[in-house]
Amino acid sequence: MREWKLRGYLTPEDFVGTDTEKLQMALDQAAALDIRKVIVRDVYHVEQPLIIPDHMHLVLDGGEIHGDLQNAVSENYSFERDRIYIQANKGRIVGSITLCHTRHVVLEELEIDGEVQLGFCRDSRIEHTRISGCLTLGRGTANVIVQDLQANAVRVTARKPELDCGREPLIRN
């Protein structure tokens, strides 16, 4: 544990189990130990969506994640999730990213073979990213900067999603 803190990041290879278990344990332990950074260098196939904790910096350093990513959704919607940063350095995600009720989302230098959906996300940035599917800026999303984006489609919609946090449903800025 001390070695991980001194190193300043965790990798799935620090753990044993299936690809899904190793990735989820790396994310959970990085959050629990307040390291907040996970670096992925290999190819991982996940069977269920990975839950990205708050204040997490996930770096795909030549690695790939084949599966979906999402944030934890609380039953108490007065608690907004905060700071999820997903970045790649010659890595990619083969799956979709779904983030709901989160502030300060950053998706940078990513190649995503899937879709990205933001709902009730505020103060977000998407830069230098390629999305093979659709980028959906959904209900309640506000203050988003998007630059150097390649996507099959971009949809701005206030249609009621599966998850609704009861906040202002308008899409702005």
Side-chain angles (χ1 to χ4, degrees):
M1 206 171 0
R2 180 183 160 123
E3 157 191 333
W4 293 341
K5 286 189 171 196
L6 290 172
R7 184 173 63 188
Y9 65 89
L10 293 178
T11 71
E13 293 307 310
D14 293 326
F15 302 92
V16 295
T18 66
D19 285 357
T20 304
E21 291 168 343
K22 292 194 302 189
L23 276 162
Q24 193 64 61
M25 283 190 278
L27 291 164
D28 293 345
Q29 279 299 311
L33 297 171
D34 202 28
I35 296 170
R36 305 288 177 187
K37 187 173 188 177
V38 173
I39 297 178
V40 176
R41 294 191 176 104
D42 292 323
V43 177
Y44 294 91
H45 296 271
V46 298
E47 295 87 35
Q48 61 194 36
L50 291 175
I51 306 299
I52 312 270
D54 292 359
H55 304 279
M56 186 58 59
H57 185 185
L58 176 62
V59 180
L60 302 170
D61 188 13
E64 292 184 7
I65 296 175
H66 292 255
D68 297 334
L69 301 157
Q70 65 185 46
N71 63 315
V73 178
S74 173
E75 292 297 319
N76 184 345
Y77 290 115
S78 62
F79 296 112
E80 184 176 46
R81 300 295 177 189
D82 197 10
R83 301 190 195 286
I84 293 179
Y85 184 5
I86 305 173
Q87 175 186 21
N89 178 16
K90 298 181 182 175
R92 71 182 185 136
I93 295 170
V94 180
S96 296
I97 298 175
T98 303
L99 300 174
C100 179
H101 199 50
T102 304
R103 188 168 190 171
H104 301 115
V105 171
V106 177
L107 304 177
E108 189 172 39
E109 299 175 6
L110 289 170
E111 182 179 332
I112 302 166
D113 289 335
E115 300 197 352
V116 174
Q117 181 176 344
L118 302 180
F120 292 96
C121 291
R122 300 182 300 137
D123 306 324
S124 302
R125 182 169 50 91
I126 302 171
E127 288 187 293
H128 313 295
T129 296
R130 186 194 68 74
I131 303 169
S132 69
C134 182
L135 167 62
T136 301
L137 302 176
R139 184 175 161 107
T141 300
N143 305 325
V144 180
I145 296 171
V146 179
Q147 25 184 61
D148 192 20
L149 172 72
Q150 296 175 31
N152 188 31
V154 175
R155 178 177 35 228
V156 178
T157 179
R159 187 172 54 185
K160 191 170 182 172
E162 217 175 273
L163 299 170
D164 193 353
C165 66
R167 288 187 165 230
E168 181 183 22
L170 300 176
I171 300 167
R172 299 180 303 196
N173 306 333

